[in-house]
Amino acid sequence: MEKSKVLIIGATGRLGYHLAQFSLQFGHPTYILIRDSSLNDPNKAQKLNFLSTAGAIPLKGSLEDENSLTEAVKQVDVVICSIPSKQALDQKLLLKVIKESGCIKKFIPSEFGVDPNKIQIYNLAHRFYAGKTEIRRVIEAEDIPYTYICCNLFMGYLLPSLAQPGLKAPPRDKVTIFGDGNAKAVFVKDVDVAACTINAIDDPRTLNKTLYLRPQGNVYSINELVAMWENKIGRELEKIHVLEEELLLKIKESSYPDNLEMVFIYSAFVKGDHTYFDIDECGVDGTKLYPHLKFTTVSEYLDTLV
């Protein structure tokens, strides 16, 4: 089967770079939208040079320039956007162009996190999730073919500190347990998210579906994470228990976005927003669709921090 032509927006970002690499590796004709300003950033310029050398086709443009978006979109079959979550609404013009072009068989918007339709803490993080939710509504109202990728949390966020607010490394003396400590969160390495996303491009099973990632070795409660860490360092940590009500009070005493770390801890490890629901007919389990993919496990990641 002929591989779809893919446009990646945000290819100089951490996830976007991996998406472009896997798109090329899997044999897709790969286009990357680049701003002129990217060439002035040494790190971004190095990534662009590597991708171009590997076969990616750079196209000048931006999400604010309708003409450049139109020229880019008409050359491809699939569009993947991997801009930061806080810029989700910047995809609106892109959606207009995709709708008018009529040539895109799948759009993968900038999600790559917790399913905004499933979170139970929307009132605490409205500004963070509202943009993603609004983009979903436009996609569905305009009948744009899509796949939403919900990988929950990247391993580089919260996991390095064992979900301890303010810390940059796992604790070695005492640790805070939020709620009863039993709600399970999901952590996936960004490179593994990228590999799964590219596998989904030409897979009809993912069309107009939400693709969830819940690899078996990546789903843990904070109690389980702490026990695993204690085993790795050969030491028992002092446990400090913070009840749900106490955490909520701390969140409400802080302002957005300074309280986002605690909001995400509350969402994942108290409310269980990653795992409280079963995947229904509107979704698919990426780990079951692509059993050949190997996901870096939480245990393997923590080994690098010992």
Side-chain angles (χ1 to χ4, degrees), residues 6-9 19 78-82 107-108 112 197-198 201:
V6 180
L7 171 65
I8 296 174
I9 299 171
L19 287 166
V78 173
V79 177
I80 305 175
C81 193
S82 64
F107 175 51
I108 299 178
F112 306 105
T197 301
I198 301 303
I201 284 177

Side-chain angles (χ1 to χ4, degrees), residues 13 21 25-26 37 57 62 64 67 70 76-77 84 87 114 132 157 202 215 224 228 244 257 262 271 290 296:
Q21 285 181 305
Q25 182 181 320
F26 292 175
S37 59
I57 302 166
S62 74
E64 296 80 35
N67 289 334
T70 300
V76 301
D77 309 302
Q87 297 172 232
V114 182
K132 291 183 177 184
Y157 190 72
D202 287 328
E224 292 169 332
M228 182 188 297
E244 178 176 351
M262 288 189 290
K271 301 303 290 184
Y290 313 118
T296 302

Side-chain angles (χ1 to χ4, degrees), residues 162-165 167 171-181 222-223 226 230 236-244 246-247 250 265 270:
L162 243 57
Q164 302 299 295
L167 294 188
R172 293 180 179 268
D173 49 4
K174 56 186 177 181
V175 64
T176 301
I177 306 293
F178 299 98
D180 63 11
I222 199 164
N223 283 335
V226 169
E230 288 175 329
E236 185 174 349
L237 304 180
E238 177 190 348
K239 314 295 190 304
I240 301 169
H241 292 269
V242 172
L243 299 177
E244 178 176 351
E246 294 177 72
L247 180 56
K250 290 182 179 181
I265 290 172
V270 177

Side-chain angles (χ1 to χ4, degrees), residues 95-106:
L95 292 179
K96 175 177 180 288
V97 169
I98 288 175
K99 177 64 175 179
E100 292 176 353
S101 74
C103 65
I104 297 304
K105 67 180 188 181
K106 184 175 289 185

Side-chain angles (χ1 to χ4, degrees), residues 173-305:
D173 49 4
K174 56 186 177 181
V175 64
T176 301
I177 306 293
F178 299 98
D180 63 11
N182 293 324
K184 293 181 183 288
V186 182
F187 296 90
V188 187
K189 200 167 184 180
D190 46 13
V191 66
D192 299 334
V193 174
C196 192
T197 301
I198 301 303
N199 269 270
I201 284 177
D202 287 328
D203 187 347
R205 297 173 296 177
T206 67
L207 183 61
N208 296 334
K209 300 284 189 180
T210 300
L211 187 151
Y212 297 96
L213 292 181
R214 295 177 178 177
Q216 187 174 0
N218 300 60
V219 184
Y220 287 94
S221 69
I222 199 164
N223 283 335
E224 292 169 332
L225 286 177
V226 169
M228 182 188 297
W229 180 245
E230 288 175 329
N231 183 60
K232 289 182 183 297
I233 64 174
R235 181 185 310 161
E236 185 174 349
L237 304 180
E238 177 190 348
K239 314 295 190 304
I240 301 169
H241 292 269
V242 172
L243 299 177
E244 178 176 351
E245 294 75 16
E246 294 177 72
L247 180 56
L248 271 174
L249 183 60
K250 290 182 179 181
I251 290 171
K252 291 175 180 177
E253 287 176 343
S254 306
S255 57
Y256 178 92
D258 296 335
N259 60 3
L260 267 183
E261 185 178 37
M262 288 189 290
V263 168
F264 291 145
I265 290 172
Y266 179 66
S267 171
F269 289 109
V270 177
K271 301 303 290 184
D273 280 342
H274 301 180
T275 55
Y276 77 90
F277 59 94
D278 294 327
I279 298 173
D280 59 21
E281 66 277 1
C282 295
V284 290
D285 187 336
T287 51
K288 293 179 180 177
L289 290 184
Y290 313 118
H292 61 284
L293 292 180
K294 182 183 184 311
F295 290 85
T296 302
T297 67
V298 165
S299 179
E300 289 169 338
Y301 182 84
L302 290 181
D303 283 339
T304 67
L305 304 178

Side-chain angles (χ1 to χ4, degrees), residues 22-61:
F22 278 112
S23 181
L24 290 164
Q25 182 181 320
F26 292 175
H28 292 279
T30 302
Y31 298 75
I32 53 177
L33 192 72
I34 60 171
R35 294 173 173 269
D36 287 329
S37 59
S38 297
L39 301 174
N40 300 323
D41 183 313
N43 183 47
K44 291 182 179 180
Q46 184 179 32
K47 289 180 177 179
L48 291 172
N49 181 62
F50 179 88
L51 292 174
S52 297
T53 301
I57 302 166
L59 300 173
K60 292 287 185 67

